Amino acid sequence: MTATRLTSLDAFRGFTIASMLLVNNPGDWSHLYSQLAHAHWNGWTFTDWIFPFFLFIGGISMAFSLGRAADAGADKGALLRKLFKRALLIFLIGFLLNYIPRFDLSSVRIPGVLQRIALCTVLAAPLVVYFNWRQVTWWIAGLLACYSAVMLLVPVPDVNGVVGAGVLEPGRDFGAWLDRQFLSGHMWAQSKTWDPEGLFTTIPALCSQLIGVLAGRWLMAQRARPEQTVWMMLAGLALLLAGAMLDVVLMPINKSLWSTSYCLFISGWALLMFSVFYWLLDANPSPWLRAKAQGGAKFFIIYGMNALFIFAFSGLVAKMLGFIRFAQEDGTQRPLGAMLYAPIKALPLQPEAASLLHALLFNAAMFAVAWFMWRRRWYVKV
C-alpha cells in the first residue's frame, strides 16, 4: 500500500459530515421522518449510523498516521504526546460548543460528541502504537466482554434508589449510575440523570474506533485492492450478523447505551459503506470508472477535507440561530432560526418535508463554506 491519500476516506468522512448536518438541523424537531431521528431507545435508524461512522473513520486515520509512523521506528512516546495534545484540543472545542452561549460553568454539559471522540482517540493511541492487529482484536473482544458483564451483572441503584442488575432502561443501567456519581449536574439537559456520551459507554465506543484501526491496518497490508474490498465486505457482513444475534441473546441494539450489539452491528454497516466508497474511488481497476466516481463524489470529498471545522462551525451556527432573538410587535422574542424557517414552513408541503427542506438548505450553506475553503486551499487541522 502506498502512502498516497485515500480519496475514499475523505469522501466517506464527507458523507458522514453531510449526514450529520442533515439529521442535526431540521426546521422542526417535532416533525421528522423516522430515519432522520435517533431510535427512541432500542433499535436503530439511519441517524444511529453517524456517530460510530466518525469513530470508525478516526480509527482508519490513526492506523495510517500513528500506526505507520510507529512501524517505521518513530519515537512512540513523542507520537503519543503529539496525539494527546490533539485530543485535548478536540475535547476543548467540544466543551466550548457546550459552554456557548450560556457561559455557565455550574451546569455546562461536560460530555459530547467531540469529547467522546477525543477520549476514544487517547485510549486507542497506545493500542495502535504498541500492539499488532491480532492483539488489538483481542482487546476489542475483552473490552466488549467486560462492558457486557458489568452492564448485565453489577447491581446499581436508579434515581429512585431501586437497586437492580442488568436493567437496561433509561437512567437505570450501570453507565447512568456512574455518570450520576461523577457528572451530576453536567449531563445531557434532556435527561439530567444519564448521558448518551457518558463515561462507561465510552468503552464500547472505543471498540468502534478500534474496528476502524483494524480496517486501516488491513488497507496498509500488501494486498490487491479488489481483494481488500471483498474481505472488508465479508467482515462487515459478519459483524452485522454478530450484532443481530447479540441483539437477541445478549443486549438490544441501543445507541444511548452503545451496547455490544450496537457496536458490532453499526461497525458492520461502516465496513460495508466504506467498502463501497473504497471500491468506487480507489480500488476500481477501471481508471475511467474510477475518475467518474471521484467526480461524482466531489461533494463529499470537499466536505471531508475540512470535516472537523465544518462540524464545529455548523454546531456554533445552529446554536446562534436559536440564541439570537428579535423583538416582535406583540412583545415576544423570536429566535432567528424560527424567523428563517417561517417562509419554508409556509410552503405547501407536508410538515416533515418542510423540516427536511430546512435541513437540506442548512447543509447547502455549510457546503458553500467548505467549498470556499477548498477553493482557497484552507485546510484546518488540529
Side-chain angles (χ1 to χ4, degrees), residues 69-93:
D71 292 345
D75 185 314
K76 295 179 179 180
L79 288 174
L80 292 178
R81 287 191 294 272
K82 181 178 179 181
L83 188 135
F84 290 168
K85 290 178 182 178
R86 179 176 184 269
L88 177 61
L89 183 55
I90 292 173
F91 187 98
L92 289 175
I93 292 171

Side-chain angles (χ1 to χ4, degrees), residues 59 62 66 80 83-84 118-130 136 206 209-210 213:
M62 287 182 73
L66 198 63
L80 292 178
L83 188 135
F84 290 168
L119 287 175
C120 288
T121 299
V122 166
L123 294 172
L127 302 182
V128 177
V129 168
Y130 291 108
V136 170
L206 166 63
Q209 182 144 342
L210 292 176
V213 170

Side-chain angles (χ1 to χ4, degrees), residues 241-263:
L241 178 60
M245 292 175 63
L246 292 178
D247 176 53
V248 176
V249 303
L250 185 70
M251 302 172 70
I253 291 172
N254 185 298
K255 187 265 179 189
S256 295
L257 300 177
W258 213 287
S259 60
T260 300
S261 55
Y262 172 79
C263 172

Side-chain angles (χ1 to χ4, degrees), residues 176-243:
W177 170 80
L178 192 68
D179 289 343
R180 290 194 294 273
Q181 306 311 302
F182 293 97
L183 300 173
S184 180
H186 297 277
M187 292 182 283
W188 189 39
Q190 295 185 41
S191 67
K192 294 182 171 51
T193 61
W194 58 276
D195 198 290
E197 279 78 56
L199 296 171
F200 193 63
T201 52
T202 299
I203 293 174
L206 166 63
C207 294
S208 297
Q209 182 144 342
L210 292 176
I211 291 172
V213 170
L214 293 180
R217 287 288 190 180
W218 174 243
L219 292 171
M220 291 165 60
Q222 297 300 318
R223 300 293 185 98
R225 285 182 166 182
E227 179 187 356
Q228 290 176 328
T229 306
V230 171
W231 281 107
M232 283 194 297
M233 287 185 169
L234 290 174
L237 291 172
L239 287 176
L240 279 178
L241 178 60

